[in-house]
Structure formats: C-alpha cells, structure tokens
Amino acid sequence: MDTGFRIHPEQASTAAPQVDALYFFLLGVSIFFTVLIAGLIVYFAIRFRQSAKTTRRPMEGNMALEITWIVVPLVIVTMIFFWSMSMYYDMSRIPEDALEIHVVAKQWMWKFQHPLGRREIDTLHVPAGRAVKLTMISQDVIHSFFVPAFRVKQDVLPGRYSRTWFEATEPGEYHLFCAEYCGTSHSQMIGRVVVMPQAEYQTWLAGGPKPDEPQAAGEALFARLRCGGCHGDGREAPKRGPLLAGVFERRVPLQSGTTVTADEDYLRQSILRPDARLVAGFEPMMPSYQGQLGEEEMNDLIAYLKSLGHAAVPAGANQP
C-alpha cells in the first residue's frame, strides 16, 4: 500500500491502464480546447479592442470555418463514445471462471466471504492474476465499493445484488473506500485489499479455523427453517411448494402469466417476500422471512439452492 503522496493512483489491475488511457485522452482534449479558446479570446480582445483607429466592417460568413468547428468536435465525441462503450463492455462482462466472493456492506464495515467459507472484515485477500467476481449487497443503506488502484467502483444497494469484477496484477496492499456517503462514520468505512501470489492465497485460504462452507451452512439453515416440509429435501418431489432441484438460472412460470429467470435476486425475493412473484400452480402459503435472516445467512441459503442445480429432477415432479 503506497502511503506517500500521489497525484494519480498506481495501476494494479488489468482495467487500470484502459481507464487511464481514456482519462488522459479526455484530459488532453480538455486542456487543448481550453488553451485554444482562452488564447483566441485574449487575441481577439487585443486585436479588435475599441479605439479611434478601429474600422467597423460588416461580418461575413465563412462556410469552411462553420464546417470545421462542427465536424471536428463531432469526430472527437464519436471516438470517445465508441472507445468508452467498448471499455465499459469489457469491464462489465464478468469472466465465467472468476473466483466469486460475497460482500455484505453495513454501517460501517465491509464483510467478505470466500468460496470455502472463510470470512473477513474490512480486509479482502485475493490472488494475483485471477479474475475475482464480487457479489455484493448492503444490510442497511447505499454504499459504494471503491478501490482506486484497480479503477473499480460499484454501488452496493440494500435489497438487491450488484456485481463487479477485477483482476489484480501486482501483489501488495491497496486502499478500499466507501465512495457513497452512508452516515456519520462514512469516512471510517475503509479497508484494504491484500493481493497475494496464487500459491500464497491458497495457503492463506486453507489456514485458520475450519469454517463451514456456504453450501453446507445453507443446507443446515434449510433444515433448521424446516423448508423441507413444503419443498422436500430440495431434490425429491415437492409436497406443497415448487421443486428446488435445478431451479437456479431456470425460467420460472408465474401466476401472472409471465416468466422470470431464477437468479440470486429472484431467489432472495422469494425467501423474503414469497407473495411478490408467485409460482404458477402454487398457493401463497410460504411465510415471509423478512427481518429474520441476515444477509450472510441469505448468501448461505442461496449457495445451497444453487448447489441443487445439477441434481436429478424426479420424473413427473411439479416444477416451478
């Protein structure tokens, strides 16, 4: 982590050089036209200042000049548009093999959960040279995950998952900030991202007390909440609720006649507000778990439901 004064943040991710190239281009264009316009204003103010020798002449149009100051800015802004659009597309397309880490933001801390269940607060360990996907949600108000060295900033919203990704290139420690005012201690909602060589990251991940994997913790929570009373064990034919085997990322028909993809947001809403989008063929019998489950428990439960994606679907089962 660089503790010295820097005008510009260091580059420590694959996206940083692309963002900086566009930024410096915009800065250069802005400086060029600022100097040009200011210089012309000063020149014309001196050249055509009012005096006894000034001769007034009628103004005449100049078609070449008119075309020039229309075409040149048009070409520049068109280039900026396609350049930024291409970069935005690359930055928003998350690699399929990315390491997924769950993030819960709350006043005033960052909580992280790794794939094998290890948890951290205000410190995030990641491997260098591998894409890392962050699935984030807020427990209270709007926050914003910001790592200047990675050129990554993404709002973290209550009640809805947001996602971003990065691939760190240089091992080291980097500042993590909340970039959205979130309350009286907003300035203290800081942390660090520790980038490690992949072998060291695997060693770190295996160290410490053995945590429950999210899938196992979610299965235990599924049993504790007695979800199997209506949904079976998640794999057998359901009794009063939809079949959960293979539900993740499947198109689900609703009573409204529409369909929806069962992604993380849909699963979360179905647990907290089951009446919001009823599955076709089922009655509104499921109780709401709003206020009864924390965001970390929700992450565990959804991880378990996602793990049922490859389970065999019983023949003739009533599916959502």
Side-chain angles (χ1 to χ4, degrees), residues 1 101-114 118-125 134-148 152-158 160-164 166 174-183 185-194 204 295-296 299:
M1 184 181 296
I101 295 176
H102 287 273
V103 182
V104 176
K106 59 178 296 186
Q107 296 170 317
W108 288 272
M109 67 175 67
W110 298 100
K111 304 175 77 173
F112 305 99
Q113 184 179 38
H114 292 262
R118 185 159 184 180
R119 303 175 189 267
E120 302 182 85
I121 295 179
D122 291 339
T123 299
L124 173 61
H125 288 78
L134 302 179
T135 300
M136 306 182 290
I137 196 167
S138 170
Q139 193 167 308
D140 36 51
V141 298
I142 299 177
H143 301 278
S144 188
F145 184 93
F146 180 39
V147 183
V152 169
K153 187 171 83 71
Q154 177 64 51
D155 286 350
V156 185
L157 309 175
R160 192 177 77 185
Y161 291 105
S162 58
R163 299 164 184 83
T164 190
F166 60 83
Y174 303 96
H175 293 289
L176 165 62
F177 299 102
C178 175
E180 181 74 29
Y181 181 72
C182 55
S185 298
H186 162 70
S187 62
Q188 300 176 25
M189 191 170 173
I190 57 177
R192 61 188 183 131
V193 179
V194 180
W204 172 86
E295 293 299 342
E296 292 170 277
N299 287 337

Side-chain angles (χ1 to χ4, degrees), residues 10 18 32 36 38 53 59 61-62 81 83 93 98 113 152 218 227 245 254 267 276 286 292 294 301-302 306:
E10 56 194 311
Q18 303 178 55
F32 172 78
L36 175 63
K53 298 179 181 180
M59 298 182 62
N62 187 321
F81 170 77
W83 185 356
R93 186 174 55 181
Q113 184 179 38
V152 169
C227 303
L254 304 178
L267 295 177
M286 180 173 168
Q292 301 182 47
L301 194 54
I302 291 175
K306 291 168 65 174

Side-chain angles (χ1 to χ4, degrees), residues 158-301:
R160 192 177 77 185
Y161 291 105
S162 58
R163 299 164 184 83
T164 190
W165 75 282
F166 60 83
E167 182 178 330
T169 55
E170 297 293 332
E173 295 186 13
Y174 303 96
H175 293 289
L176 165 62
F177 299 102
C178 175
E180 181 74 29
Y181 181 72
C182 55
T184 55
S185 298
H186 162 70
S187 62
Q188 300 176 25
M189 191 170 173
I190 57 177
R192 61 188 183 131
V193 179
V194 180
V195 181
M196 313 169 71
Q198 295 203 33
E200 292 184 18
Y201 172 75
Q202 293 300 329
T203 301
W204 172 86
L205 197 61
K210 182 65 175 177
D212 289 335
E213 294 188 13
Q215 176 182 334
E219 186 173 9
L221 184 59
F222 186 89
R224 179 167 64 84
L225 296 176
R226 299 181 181 179
C227 303
C230 293
H231 297 283
D233 64 356
R235 296 177 174 84
E236 67 182 17
K239 301 174 182 178
R240 290 176 292 180
L243 178 69
L244 299 179
V247 67
F248 183 63
E249 293 187 339
R250 193 171 69 207
R251 297 296 297 179
V252 177
L254 304 178
Q255 284 193 7
S256 62
T258 61
T259 61
V260 64
T261 299
D263 55 11
E264 289 97 337
D265 288 295
Y266 171 77
L267 295 177
R268 183 181 186 279
Q269 184 185 52
S270 296
I271 295 169
L272 300 181
R273 298 172 53 213
D275 293 348
R277 290 187 283 185
L278 288 173
V279 177
F282 292 94
E283 298 296 327
M285 302 174 59
M286 180 173 168
S288 171
Y289 290 94
Q290 186 82 43
Q292 301 182 47
L293 298 176
E295 293 299 342
E296 292 170 277
E297 292 178 307
M298 287 297 306
N299 287 337
D300 292 338
L301 194 54

